[in-house]
Amino acid sequence: MRRQAMPYGAGGDGRWIVALVLAAFLLAGCRVPLLGGDEATPTVRPPGSERTITATPGTGGGGGVGTVLEAPPRVTAADPSGEQTLTITGSPEGPATLDPALVRDTESAFVTRQIFRGLVRLDERLQPVPDLARRIEISPDGLTYTFYLWEDITFANGRRITAEDVRYSLERATDPALAGGRGETLPAGTYLADIAGVADRLAGRADSLRGVEVLDQGTVRITLEHPTTNFLLKLAATPGYVVDRENARNDNDWWKRPNGSGPFKLAEWREQERIVLEAHPGYTPNPPTLETVVILIGTEALQPVAMYERGDVDVASVSLYEVDRLQAPNSPLREELHVQPLFAVSYVLFNPNVPPLDNPDLRRALLQGFDRHKIATVTYDGHVTPVDGILPPGLLGRDWPADVPAYDPESARALLDHALGSERPTVSIYTTGAQAPVAMKQVYERDLGLPVEVLQLDFVDYIAELGTRQVPATSLTWVADYPDPDTFLRALFYSTSPDNAIGYRNPEVDRLLDEARGEADPARRAALYEQAQQTIIDDAVVVPLYAEESYTLIKPYVHGMTITPLGILGLETVWMTL
């Protein structure tokens, strides 16, 4: 998921969102409110545009074909009219990077996803479907994936995308040189780790990926270290995107002038003002109907709702503090407000390796001494959903409640006395402006006599601090990159995950997550994730707060804008009637 605050989709890139800030259309993934869609006001899609993937069981042994995924038929939008220019709001900061191998926040992921694509994407049902590939063959043992590219797929400059470009892109995404030699910090360590040879590549022990083989100009084979149920979901994230090797080898700022592989190309980027995308007709799977997309950033993006009401933008994210006005019975925008529950959860995390939080009884006292649900019901007035676990409701079509200690200040005080005696060391909580740390400070000092300091940092400094794994406690919102428990549990709590900001290590949790990775039975797999979630909560390293919902205004003349629990993924399906 990732780290930041905005509203488009993460989709392909989990990230940290560190505070509920003004929502920017880019849900930013990493974000904060993603653009959402309400069941009462369904998203309109062009007739005949539903794209489904064909999965055909194959025959043969371990080296044969087990499953075949065929790309759906190409479609065109129905009856667009008028100028096909979509204007939306981003965040004041804008994307941090458009280099697919280095994306760590959802806004960057959203813009990058329009310019670059990979072998696979997530469709509107959040299922993996072929993208730059037209066909995928999976071996019966689940270890070998063979991808057949579209013959007429091209980069933005018209050069054909080949299997060699795929190989180069995957090897580049796992090159430790991109992270100053610290390959373990690259996003590829989360999303591409199942490919044979990635561990050696990230550690600097290999110059190539032994699990990636070019069979011919249009065919590439990927071999995994072990069967992985969610491999295609993870391959749809930004580290799996295809970049032009001639473009990417130019200089470190090549991504400011990218020769992309996606449905749009970067036409203009004015710092603190706007990003302009233009259609790339060579995007074979589904060339966009929109001719231009304008993403307002910087000071241009500070008042998205006001801009929407003036008619300056076609789509705008809505902050939680504006929802009541727009949902009022007499609001003229009531029918244009789309609400979507998100696969995004806010927490406060405790680092079990940094004093005084290395004391488990202190952590348990903090968990019991704070009324978590009041953040959702009072602070955010019910516009977010309280959670009793690490995973968001609806993931894999089910709820994920866990046994979290109930709010009990008396028991918390007793635990605190047992853990610290008469001492009351200061607990530091790092944030970029979330409400929960401030509330915790007030409650812990009042009810437990425990001094708390809240350190508010800007986003860049915050990310740098988290990277040290020495932050005692931190608030963050994690947005799923793909619709699977792994994007939360493995990313945040697996011992070697690059996104494990608190340095949490529990061999039993690692074992459960490794077992779930290859488990094909859905019920058994869910049970393993439930067990891992409960174990993490029992270790008292996380305070689950709430699952987010996105609130998005969309003009009635904008069609085909599918909003998912991961936000808005791609704009190639959008069309307008003006």
Side-chain angles (χ1 to χ4, degrees):
M1 194 291 177
R2 295 305 162 86
R3 327 154 183 188
Q4 193 178 342
M6 285 193 24
Y8 292 115
D13 305 90
R15 306 149 207 279
W16 287 333
I17 306 188
V18 287
L20 269 178
V21 300
L22 288 180
F25 166 77
L26 305 170
L27 150 56
C30 266
R31 20 270 152 11
V32 151
L34 266 103
L35 298 183
D38 187 290
E39 290 185 2
T41 54
T43 299
V44 177
R45 294 188 52 79
S49 67
E50 294 298 326
R51 302 181 58 178
T52 57
I53 190 168
T54 301
T56 306
T59 59
V65 178
T67 302
V68 175
L69 304 182
E70 298 279 359
R74 302 176 186 179
V75 298
T76 57
D79 299 327
S81 62
E83 183 180 4
Q84 296 298 299
T85 296
L86 180 74
T87 303
I88 61 181
T89 53
S91 75
E93 296 82 8
T97 182
L98 298 181
D99 185 338
L102 298 177
V103 166
R104 288 189 177 278
D105 65 275
T106 46
E107 178 169 15
S108 296
F110 174 82
V111 180
T112 300
R113 188 163 50 248
Q114 311 316 313
I115 298 172
F116 296 95
R117 288 296 173 85
L119 297 168
V120 186
R121 66 175 176 84
L122 301 181
D123 68 8
E124 57 268 28
R125 296 173 296 124
L126 301 184
Q127 297 298 307
V129 298
D131 197 356
L132 301 185
R134 60 175 175 79
R135 176 183 173 93
I136 304 171
E137 295 179 356
I138 307 172
S139 64
D141 61 7
L143 289 176
T144 302
Y145 291 70
T146 304
F147 299 86
Y148 299 87
L149 305 182
W150 293 98
E151 293 181 358
D152 53 350
I153 191 74
T154 70
F155 288 107
N157 69 352
R159 183 174 78 79
R160 179 182 175 184
I161 297 174
T162 68
E164 184 59 32
D165 293 305
V166 176
R167 183 201 63 78
Y168 168 81
S169 300
L170 296 176
E171 290 190 345
R172 180 182 180 276
T174 55
D175 185 352
L178 285 180
R182 298 181 61 208
E184 72 278 5
T185 67
L186 288 171
T190 296
Y191 304 102
L192 304 180
D194 304 305
I195 299 175
V198 164
D200 287 338
R201 176 73 169 153
L202 291 173
R205 297 189 295 265
D207 295 328
S208 61
L209 280 180
R210 58 184 171 85
V212 180
E213 180 184 2
V214 173
L215 302 185
D216 57 43
Q217 189 178 30
T219 311
V220 62
R221 177 177 296 158
I222 296 178
T223 302
L224 307 187
E225 294 279 12
H226 35 67
T228 304
T229 306
N230 58 16
F231 170 65
L232 289 180
L233 293 176
K234 292 188 285 188
L235 190 62
T238 56
Y241 289 0
V242 176
V243 303
D244 179 0
R245 57 188 183 275
E246 298 173 3
N247 182 215
R249 285 171 178 160
N250 285 341
D251 56 57
N252 292 335
D253 290 334
W254 68 273
W255 50 269
K256 295 181 179 179
R257 300 170 294 278
N259 183 31
S261 53
F264 295 90
K265 50 189 176 182
L266 180 62
E268 182 182 9
W269 187 344
R270 297 184 196 173
E271 295 288 345
Q272 296 298 306
E273 188 174 340
R274 68 183 55 209
I275 293 171
V276 179
L277 308 178
E278 293 181 352
H280 168 38
Y283 175 64
T284 294
N286 191 26
T289 299
L290 290 174
E291 297 170 353
T292 306
V293 176
V294 178
I295 304 171
L296 301 180
I297 57 177
T299 57
E300 296 288 326
L302 290 178
Q303 296 181 312
V305 173
M307 297 175 70
Y308 183 92
E309 291 177 309
R310 292 196 303 265
D312 295 335
V313 298
D314 307 305
V315 180
S317 291
V318 177
S319 73
L320 298 184
Y321 306 105
E322 297 177 285
V323 170
D324 286 341
R325 175 174 70 86
L326 296 173
Q327 286 185 330
N330 62 347
S331 170
L333 298 179
R334 180 184 174 95
E335 298 303 316
E336 297 173 28
L337 180 65
H338 298 249
V339 183
Q340 173 66 56
L342 303 177
F343 293 156
V345 183
S346 290
Y347 320 94
V348 170
L349 301 180
F350 298 142
N351 192 325
N353 306 297
V354 176
L357 293 172
D358 56 344
N359 187 316
D361 282 339
L362 171 58
R363 299 197 303 272
R364 293 187 182 99
L366 296 178
L367 187 55
Q368 283 190 286
F370 184 68
D371 191 347
R372 302 174 297 108
H373 287 179
K374 278 191 174 181
I375 294 292
T377 58
V378 178
T379 304
Y380 292 119
D381 198 23
H383 296 313
V384 295
T385 302
V387 292
D388 287 313
I390 299 169
L391 300 172
L395 193 63
L396 299 187
R398 55 182 295 149
D399 291 332
W400 300 88
D403 185 11
V404 182
Y407 172 56
D408 186 345
E410 289 188 9
S411 295
R413 283 193 294 270
L415 270 173
L416 200 61
D417 290 340
H418 178 266
L420 302 176
S422 60
E423 292 185 39
R424 289 296 185 267
T426 300
V427 173
S428 300
I429 306 177
Y430 286 64
T431 180
T432 59
Q435 298 292 321
V438 176
M440 284 180 161
K441 173 181 173 64
Q442 295 170 345
V443 170
Y444 292 152
E445 291 183 345
R446 181 194 67 204
D447 297 346
L448 304 182
L450 184 71
V452 174
E453 62 175 354
V454 176
L455 303 176
Q456 183 168 332
L457 307 180
D458 64 33
F459 185 67
V460 173
D461 291 340
Y462 177 88
I463 294 304
E465 288 292 335
L466 291 187
T468 69
R469 296 193 175 185
Q470 295 302 308
V471 171
T474 180
S475 65
L476 68 81
T477 299
W478 188 262
V479 182
D481 288 319
Y482 51 95
D484 190 83
D486 245 23
T487 195
F488 291 91
L489 300 180
R490 180 174 289 271
L492 294 175
F493 301 103
Y494 194 81
S495 60
T496 59
S497 168
D499 293 316
N500 181 353
I502 58 173
Y504 174 76
R505 291 178 177 271
N506 186 320
E508 176 64 7
V509 170
D510 286 358
R511 183 193 69 78
L512 290 166
L513 295 178
D514 284 342
E515 186 176 347
R517 175 177 55 194
E519 178 57 59
D521 178 72
R524 171 60 181 160
R525 190 164 183 263
L528 291 168
Y529 283 125
E530 286 182 333
Q531 191 175 346
Q533 173 182 245
Q534 187 62 58
T535 303
I536 296 166
I537 288 175
D538 290 344
D539 283 339
V541 294
V542 56
V543 181
L545 296 174
Y546 54 84
E548 295 191 29
E549 296 185 7
S550 73
Y551 297 86
T552 307
L553 288 167
I554 303 178
K555 295 290 187 182
Y557 52 75
V558 176
H559 308 280
M561 181 167 282
T562 301
I563 303 167
T564 77
L566 298 183
I568 294 175
L569 300 182
L571 297 176
E572 65 268 25
T573 60
V574 177
W575 50 287
M576 305 172 74
T577 52
L578 297 173

